[in-house]
Amino acid sequence: MANIKYEIQQSFGVISEGAKGWKKELNLISWNNRDPKYDLRDWDEQHEKMGKGLTMSKDELIKLRDLLNSMEL
Amino acid sequence: MANIKYEIQQSFGVISEGAKGWKKELNLISWNNRDPKYDLRDWDEQHEKMGKGLTMSKDELIKLRDLLNSMEL
């Protein structure tokens, strides 16, 4: 991961907390100085180490929201 | 990926479609015969090849839904 630059431009919230303070978060992140994307991912407390996750566009996030709202959870 | 067994138990919908028919989908998947988890991931048309993604519990999905509903998208 050493060569990846990232800037967390906005934090929307925490989805869950795991072991050792790791948190699954939804953020708006610019990777390698590119346009920011919505990003769902595990982070350590200092936002230095990251786990697996995925990036989404705004359209994908809207679709995901509508999908979740249509489900019985 | 050869040693990973998975069974898609329920499909909730498609978040987006990418190149060559790949789709980002929300499914309920049992990995290696374990209890099923909610899974957000890219799949090819045949559900044979998968891309990166993440698995979530029901609680995480509910938290994510509430978070998305609180955002201006």
Side-chain angles (χ1 to χ4, degrees):
Chain A
M1 296 299 223
N3 296 317
I4 296 180
K5 271 199 278 187
Y6 61 92
E7 183 196 357
I8 299 178
Q9 299 193 344
Q10 204 174 341
S11 293
F12 301 106
V14 173
I15 309 297
S16 64
E17 278 194 53
K20 296 182 184 173
W22 280 69
K23 292 174 186 171
K24 188 174 264 101
E25 303 180 0
L26 181 64
N27 296 304
L28 187 69
I29 300 181
S30 167
W31 298 95
N32 292 320
N33 295 320
R34 284 195 282 259
D35 286 342
K37 288 192 156 196
Y38 294 96
D39 188 279
L40 195 57
R41 184 178 306 275
D42 290 314
W43 292 91
D44 75 342
E45 273 183 289
Q46 286 75 37
H47 286 108
E48 283 170 0
K49 293 181 193 160
M50 65 186 77
K52 63 179 180 177
L54 48 85
T55 60
M56 282 177 282
S57 67
K58 186 173 182 175
D59 283 348
E60 288 177 316
L61 217 56
I62 291 171
K63 202 78 192 288
L64 177 60
R65 179 197 63 193
D66 295 345
L67 196 57
L68 290 173
N69 283 329
S70 75
M71 292 166 63
E72 281 183 38
L73 288 170
Chain B
M1 298 298 225
N3 296 320
I4 297 180
K5 270 199 279 184
Y6 60 93
E7 183 196 356
I8 299 178
Q9 299 192 343
Q10 204 173 342
S11 293
F12 301 105
V14 173
I15 310 296
S16 64
E17 277 194 54
K20 295 182 183 173
W22 281 68
K23 292 174 186 170
K24 189 176 262 101
E25 303 180 1
L26 181 64
N27 297 304
L28 187 69
I29 300 181
S30 167
W31 297 95
N32 292 322
N33 295 321
R34 285 195 282 258
D35 286 342
K37 288 191 157 198
Y38 293 96
D39 188 279
L40 194 58
R41 184 179 306 274
D42 291 314
W43 292 91
D44 76 341
E45 274 183 289
Q46 286 76 39
H47 287 107
E48 283 169 359
K49 294 179 194 163
M50 65 186 79
K52 63 179 180 176
L54 49 84
T55 60
M56 281 177 283
S57 67
K58 187 173 182 175
D59 284 347
E60 289 177 316
L61 217 56
I62 290 172
K63 202 78 193 286
L64 177 60
R65 180 197 64 194
D66 295 345
L67 195 58
L68 291 172
N69 283 329
S70 74
M71 292 166 62
E72 281 183 37
L73 289 171

